[in-house]
Amino acid sequence: MTIKLEEGLVLSPANPLRVEVANLLRKLILDGQIPSGERIIEMEIAAQLDVSRMPVREALRILESEGLIQQIPRRGLFVTAFTEDDIREFYTIRGALEVCAIKIVIDRITPEELAALKDYCKKAREAFGRHDINEVCLWTAKFNEEIYNSCGMPRFKEEIKNTQNYLRTFRLLSFRTSERTEQALNEHEDIIRLVEAKDREGAARATEKHLYGAMTSYIESWKERNAKK
C-alpha cells in the first residue's frame, strides 16, 4: 500500500535536508500515521516530498539505526513491528526512569510548573468530556513531556524524552476505551496531588501504577488488533 504523507517538510537552515526528512518521517511513525509493518518505498517518499532520493535514503538510514524501520531481505524496508516483549521493555525502561525522576521533581518543581500541569490535566479532562480522543492524547502527551522539565538534569530528561517518544505510537490505541482513558486521567491527577503534597513514595507508586495500567491496556489492544489481521 502506498503511504500518503499528509504533512510536508518544514525546512530549517540549521538542519541538513536529510535531518528534516528524518524528523518528519520519525514523527509520522511515532504518531502512528505510518503504521507498524508498513513498507517504506524511497522513491515514493521522495516524490511526495519533492526532493531527490539521496536525502530520503540518508534519512531512512538514520531511522534504521534508531530501530524505527528495518530491512527485510528480498522484501525491502518496513516500519518496525513491535513484539509484546518490545512493548514490555519500553514500558519497563520508562517506568524505571520516571519513578526515579518523580522523586527529584518533587523537590524542584515550581508553583508555576505545577499550575501548568494542572491546566494540562484540566484540558485533557475537558477533551474527554467532548469525546475528542485525539485532543486527550495531545494534552496527556504535553503532560508527559513537561512533568520532568523541573528535575534540572538535562541528560536524564533526554533519556525520558527518548523513551516517551517511542511510546507515543502506543498512546492512541491504549485509549481505545473510555474506561482506560478516564482511569489514565485520574492517575495523572493523583500524581499531581502527591507531587504537590511532597509525598515521594506515594508519587512513585502512583507513577508505577499509571505506567503499568498503560502497558496492560496497550498490550490488550495490540493483541486484539493483531488477531484481526
Side-chain angles (χ1 to χ4, degrees):
M1 182 175 68
T2 300
I3 294 173
K4 297 295 184 184
L5 301 181
E6 302 296 333
E7 299 182 33
L9 288 170
V10 178
L11 299 178
S12 166
N15 290 329
L17 185 55
R18 66 179 181 278
V19 172
E20 295 295 351
V21 174
N23 288 343
L24 174 63
L25 295 178
R26 184 187 299 107
K27 176 182 182 298
L28 295 177
I29 290 170
L30 293 174
D31 284 345
Q33 295 181 50
I34 303 178
S36 63
E38 197 70 39
R39 188 181 181 194
I40 302 288
I41 300 177
E42 177 187 305
M43 184 170 58
E44 292 180 354
I45 299 293
Q48 290 188 63
L49 295 179
D50 194 23
V51 298
S52 69
R53 295 177 64 176
M54 183 57 70
V56 175
R57 183 176 304 145
E58 293 171 341
L60 294 176
R61 287 174 184 158
I62 294 172
L63 299 183
E64 188 174 8
S65 72
E66 295 174 357
L68 286 176
I69 62 176
Q70 60 182 336
Q71 182 78 42
I72 298 178
R74 296 182 296 280
R75 294 186 60 199
L77 278 174
F78 291 81
V79 177
T80 301
F82 295 112
T83 67
E84 183 174 343
D85 285 343
D86 292 329
I87 297 164
R88 291 185 183 278
E89 183 178 6
F90 284 133
Y91 275 104
T92 298
I93 294 168
R94 182 180 169 190
L97 290 170
E98 294 189 20
V99 167
C100 178
I102 198 72
K103 299 178 183 181
I104 301 169
V105 167
I106 282 177
D107 290 330
R108 302 191 180 190
I109 195 167
T110 66
E112 293 77 17
E113 290 167 333
L114 196 61
L117 290 170
K118 288 180 179 179
D119 187 51
Y120 300 150
C121 287
K122 179 183 176 183
K123 288 177 177 176
R125 179 74 68 179
E126 291 170 348
F128 177 61
R130 297 192 299 271
H131 307 290
D132 188 341
I133 297 302
N134 286 325
E135 191 172 343
V136 171
C137 288
L138 185 153
W139 290 113
T140 56
K142 186 70 172 175
F143 178 97
N144 288 330
E145 290 163 4
E146 295 297 330
I147 191 170
Y148 300 110
N149 276 350
S150 59
C151 74
M153 296 182 177
R155 297 175 187 85
F156 199 178
K157 287 192 302 182
E158 190 64 24
E159 291 299 324
I160 291 174
K161 180 181 176 181
N162 289 340
T163 307
Q164 288 178 343
N165 280 343
Y166 279 101
L167 293 175
R168 283 169 62 190
T169 191
F170 302 160
R171 187 171 294 123
L172 185 59
L173 190 59
S174 70
F175 281 169
R176 67 184 180 86
T177 67
S178 59
E179 291 83 1
R180 173 55 201 163
T181 304
E182 185 167 21
Q183 182 184 8
L185 296 179
N186 290 340
E187 289 164 355
H188 275 184
E189 290 162 358
D190 283 344
I191 290 168
I192 291 301
R193 176 179 57 80
L194 292 162
V195 168
E196 189 170 24
K198 305 292 186 182
D199 184 345
R200 289 177 182 78
E201 295 307 317
R205 286 193 300 270
T207 299
E208 189 173 31
K209 176 185 174 183
H210 171 66
L211 293 174
Y212 181 80
M215 180 187 73
T216 301
S217 176
Y218 179 79
I219 288 175
E220 289 175 357
S221 300
W222 175 83
K223 286 179 177 178
E224 290 179 8
R225 183 181 62 179
N226 285 350
K228 295 176 181 177
K229 288 184 178 180

